[in-house]
Amino acid sequence: MISRFEQFLYIISKIHRQIQKIERAEMVKQGYKGAFAQYLATLRRYEEGLTSSELCEICDKDKAAVSRIIAEMEEKGLIEREKKIVRTYRSKITLTEKGRKLAEYVSETSRIAVAAVSGGIFDEVDRDLVYNALDNLFERLQKVAEDGISRE
């Protein structure tokens, strides 16, 4: 018999995979990788730009993954980095006009997907409750991951 916690983990994992499939499918329609979606959405929220280190933190990705995707996005003309003699993780990354348009597409697609998924299941209040519960659960799991499991 599967425990409640195992069931929860499986469901979260399955949800994450479906989100990745949707991102991939929608971004491929535009000629880009699905992995770009999260970075575009994040940079859209920070018009003043973010450093690679900040992107790592916000998107919860490692430096190698961020560096790889940022290099590809820059090559495609979606982002630009501050012009410095030596690029560092402190150079600000911002969206280009092309990147802003694609980020708007990602935002609108996300809005449509959330409406399609939650329509008939959640109203706005229920959706807020679910998101708040997930945020609280994340914060508690993060604390346990940082502090370790107490067996007391």
Side-chain angles (χ1 to χ4, degrees):
M1 172 180 236
I2 190 168
S3 73
R4 241 179 227 260
F5 186 70
E6 286 175 302
Q7 182 180 20
F8 172 77
L9 290 178
Y10 293 143
I11 291 168
I12 292 295
S13 180
K14 288 177 183 181
I15 289 170
H16 185 252
R17 278 196 305 275
Q18 295 310 309
I19 290 168
Q20 287 179 317
K21 281 183 182 180
I22 293 167
E23 286 175 340
R24 190 170 28 259
E26 289 302 315
M27 294 303 287
V28 164
K29 288 178 188 176
Q30 300 299 313
Y32 300 102
K33 288 184 171 182
F36 290 8
Q38 183 179 15
Y39 298 98
L40 289 164
T42 301
L43 287 166
R44 180 177 173 268
R45 290 192 336 254
Y46 296 91
E47 288 186 27
E48 72 282 0
L50 293 169
T51 65
S52 291
S53 295
E54 290 168 331
L55 266 176
C56 290
E57 180 71 24
I58 293 167
C59 296
D60 196 27
K61 304 289 184 190
D62 64 46
K63 286 183 178 182
V66 170
S67 292
R68 198 170 36 255
I69 294 297
I70 290 304
E72 291 179 46
M73 290 174 68
E74 186 174 31
E75 185 179 297
K76 304 242 183 232
L78 299 173
I79 57 121
E80 55 192 6
R81 294 188 249 191
E82 278 180 324
K83 305 291 187 251
K84 290 189 174 185
I85 295 172
V86 177
R87 287 194 176 146
T88 67
Y89 279 94
R90 290 185 295 250
S91 299
K92 290 283 188 177
I93 301 164
T94 56
L95 293 171
T96 62
E97 183 59 32
K98 183 178 176 181
R100 277 190 288 284
K101 287 179 182 175
L102 187 58
E104 286 298 324
Y105 172 82
V106 169
S107 177
E108 179 62 12
T109 300
S110 297
R111 186 194 62 72
I112 293 167
V114 168
V117 169
S118 63
I121 298 173
F122 301 127
D123 62 17
E124 195 67 31
V125 171
D126 289 339
R127 191 176 321 144
D128 286 345
L129 289 171
V130 169
Y131 289 173
N132 286 334
L134 289 171
D135 279 341
N136 287 330
L137 182 60
F138 167 75
E139 288 172 10
R140 289 177 181 196
L141 285 169
Q142 185 178 34
K143 182 156 179 46
V144 169
E146 290 169 0
D147 298 345
I149 297 174
S150 172
R151 300 214 183 261
E152 296 177 11

